[in-house]
Amino acid sequence: MRSIKKTTPPRKSTKKGFKTKEPYLFKTIDKTEVHILGTAHISKQSVEEVEKLIQSIKPDVICVELCESRMKSVEDPDYLKKLDIFKVFKERKMWLLLSSLILSSFQKKMGNQDIKPGDEMRKAITLGRSLKKPVLPVDREIQTTLKRSWGNVGFFSKMYLFSALLASLLVREDVSDEKIEEMKSDDILKDLFSQIPKKYESIKNVIIDERDVYLAEKIRVSTLDKKVKKVVAVVGAGHLAGIERNIDLQNDLSVLDEVPKPKLWDSLSLIIYPVFFAGLIGYTTWSQGGEAGLDLFSKLIYIKGGLAALGALIAWAHPISILLAFITAPIGTFVPIFKAGWVSALFESYLRKPLVEDFERIAEDSESFQGFWKNRVLHIFLVFFLPQFGSTIGTFIVAGKGLKNLF
């Protein structure tokens, strides 16, 4: 392992003739200069300081707080416009897409017309390309981060956190330049996460702490080439302290790239629900006669299917999507891989493909309930959630009626 000399100046200090107003960390790793700039992702000043740093240092390598997939989307402004949302639902990646859309929409609302989320990263990439220097994405893949985050909490915690995310879409927050600059303070970010209930500490660990380690190791590895004498890294200000703690260490990233395996309950639920309802109907038939069993089975169809179809109707889904919600909901009771919401949204995305302007207006349209129905991207997610919610409510109603009749 290579020797590492640690020389960390105070925040906003000068080193090698570079002065910055941003949170800044300088280190030397075996004679390689590493300049790490902390930014706010919606700050005009951050964009300007990125340009000043790169032009002043003229690095051999530029590292950016992006994963490979996000780097592609940052470089290609038409990335979302080219997205095949039907394929997203077909491959069951709607949770990952929705989480990404919520994050980007929230950042866009906090920004202004002059600065778009990630402009400081775009600036770093553009300058790197113009200087013909390698630009390395040093963050963990966003899909891995999201899967590890969701995998660490239970069903009800997921619903609570997801409802909070959805609520953030309905809020329009005008953030002043002064407030944006405050967001670069480590103390502000620590205060933010200190308010998260202890039971969600695992999510903070995945989203912040693990990525601190990941970013630090990737930046350290970028210095291993003997030809590399100067490295510039552009990261969110909240990661600076964690990077400083970990960049002197050699960390195994394969552990942080692992995706949690399905929990035992997830596997058992594929068996428990079909067995429970089949047993409930069978026992009702045996104890109260065939007519009672048939009556319970018919309730399963019209209550569960009806509520799923009602959800699709409220979402103003296509008639075919509504019909599929009605058919799929009771089938999903015995074949759990079929979900009313998933099937409805899959066909809705095929029948009513989103337009370019739908992706462009996600942030604006998500500020009103009317916008959710008007915007085809947001509308498809409504067609996913509401039938699934109706189907779940129907499950509890039918189960309650069946158990009540027995006792």
Side-chain angles (χ1 to χ4, degrees), residues 32 101 107 155 238 307 405:
T32 298
L101 289 176
Q107 287 181 333
F155 175 78
L307 288 175
N405 289 339

Side-chain angles (χ1 to χ4, degrees), residues 95-197:
W95 292 101
L96 298 174
L97 173 62
L98 183 56
S99 300
S100 299
L101 289 176
I102 289 175
L103 177 60
S104 62
S105 295
F106 184 69
Q107 287 181 333
K108 185 176 180 181
K109 289 178 184 182
M110 293 181 68
N112 53 53
Q113 294 180 350
D114 298 324
I115 298 297
K116 297 178 181 178
D119 269 356
E120 85 283 15
M121 299 297 171
R122 291 185 185 89
K123 176 61 70 174
I125 295 170
T126 300
L127 290 171
R129 301 291 189 231
S130 65
L131 294 171
K132 297 183 179 179
K133 300 297 182 181
V135 181
L136 306 179
V138 293
D139 201 357
R140 180 171 59 189
E141 276 295 327
I142 186 172
Q143 290 194 19
T144 302
T145 296
L146 291 172
K147 286 179 179 179
R148 286 179 66 86
S149 298
W150 287 117
N152 279 313
V153 295
F155 175 78
F156 291 105
S157 294
K158 287 178 183 177
M159 293 301 101
Y160 170 80
L161 291 168
F162 203 76
S163 63
L165 286 173
L166 285 176
S168 71
L169 278 179
L170 297 172
V171 177
R172 176 71 187 186
E173 184 174 358
D174 295 321
V175 183
S176 64
D177 291 340
E178 292 76 14
K179 188 71 174 178
I180 290 174
E181 295 312 309
E182 286 181 20
M183 290 169 62
K184 299 172 188 174
S185 165
D186 289 342
D187 294 334
I188 294 288
L189 290 165
K190 286 177 182 176
D191 289 343
L192 173 64
F193 279 98
S194 68
Q195 297 173 21
I196 294 179

Side-chain angles (χ1 to χ4, degrees), residues 319-367:
I320 295 178
S321 300
I322 296 173
L323 177 62
L324 288 171
F326 179 82
I327 295 173
T328 307
I331 293 177
T333 305
F334 302 101
V335 188
I337 60 171
F338 285 99
K339 303 289 186 182
W342 174 73
V343 173
S344 299
L346 178 66
F347 279 86
E348 191 73 14
S349 64
Y350 176 76
L351 297 167
R352 292 173 172 169
K353 289 183 171 61
L355 306 175
V356 170
E357 53 264 33
D358 292 316
F359 285 101
E360 293 176 339
R361 290 190 53 82
I362 286 175
E364 294 83 358
D365 290 339
S366 64
E367 292 174 13

Side-chain angles (χ1 to χ4, degrees), residues 85-307:
I85 200 166
F86 174 75
K87 185 178 180 181
V88 169
F89 276 85
K90 183 179 179 182
E91 296 176 357
R92 297 192 178 221
K93 295 181 179 178
M94 50 277 190
W95 292 101
L96 298 174
L97 173 62
L98 183 56
S99 300
S100 299
L101 289 176
I102 289 175
L103 177 60
S104 62
S105 295
F106 184 69
Q107 287 181 333
K108 185 176 180 181
K109 289 178 184 182
M110 293 181 68
N112 53 53
Q113 294 180 350
D114 298 324
I115 298 297
K116 297 178 181 178
D119 269 356
E120 85 283 15
M121 299 297 171
R122 291 185 185 89
K123 176 61 70 174
I125 295 170
T126 300
L127 290 171
R129 301 291 189 231
S130 65
L131 294 171
K132 297 183 179 179
K133 300 297 182 181
V135 181
L136 306 179
V138 293
D139 201 357
R140 180 171 59 189
E141 276 295 327
I142 186 172
Q143 290 194 19
T144 302
T145 296
L146 291 172
K147 286 179 179 179
R148 286 179 66 86
S149 298
W150 287 117
N152 279 313
V153 295
F155 175 78
F156 291 105
S157 294
K158 287 178 183 177
M159 293 301 101
Y160 170 80
L161 291 168
F162 203 76
S163 63
L165 286 173
L166 285 176
S168 71
L169 278 179
L170 297 172
V171 177
R172 176 71 187 186
E173 184 174 358
D174 295 321
V175 183
S176 64
D177 291 340
E178 292 76 14
K179 188 71 174 178
I180 290 174
E181 295 312 309
E182 286 181 20
M183 290 169 62
K184 299 172 188 174
S185 165
D186 289 342
D187 294 334
I188 294 288
L189 290 165
K190 286 177 182 176
D191 289 343
L192 173 64
F193 279 98
S194 68
Q195 297 173 21
I196 294 179
K198 287 293 183 182
K199 63 180 178 179
Y200 302 127
E201 186 71 19
S202 59
I203 294 180
K204 180 259 182 182
N205 179 56
V206 172
I207 295 176
I208 301 295
D209 299 338
E210 287 187 0
R211 288 176 56 228
D212 287 346
V213 175
Y214 206 96
L215 292 165
E217 179 63 15
K218 285 286 190 176
I219 293 170
R220 187 190 69 81
V221 169
S222 73
T223 70
L224 298 181
D225 188 336
K226 293 294 184 181
K227 296 179 182 179
V228 175
K229 302 301 180 184
K230 296 179 182 179
V231 173
V232 164
V234 181
V235 302
H239 290 293
L240 270 186
I243 290 174
E244 184 177 10
R245 286 193 300 270
N246 290 282
I247 201 167
D248 293 342
L249 308 173
Q250 189 171 353
N251 294 284
D252 181 9
L253 298 187
S254 62
V255 177
L256 300 181
D257 278 323
E258 291 179 357
V259 175
K261 295 179 180 179
K263 295 181 180 179
L264 179 61
W265 172 251
D266 294 329
S267 301
L268 289 177
S269 64
L270 297 176
I271 303 173
I272 290 175
Y273 288 119
V275 170
F276 171 78
F277 276 98
L280 186 61
I281 293 171
Y283 186 77
T284 299
T285 302
W286 175 75
S287 62
Q288 300 181 14
E291 186 175 340
L294 183 61
D295 178 65
L296 182 61
F297 183 73
S298 64
K299 286 179 179 176
L300 181 68
I301 294 175
Y302 71 75
I303 292 179
K304 189 169 181 178
L307 288 175

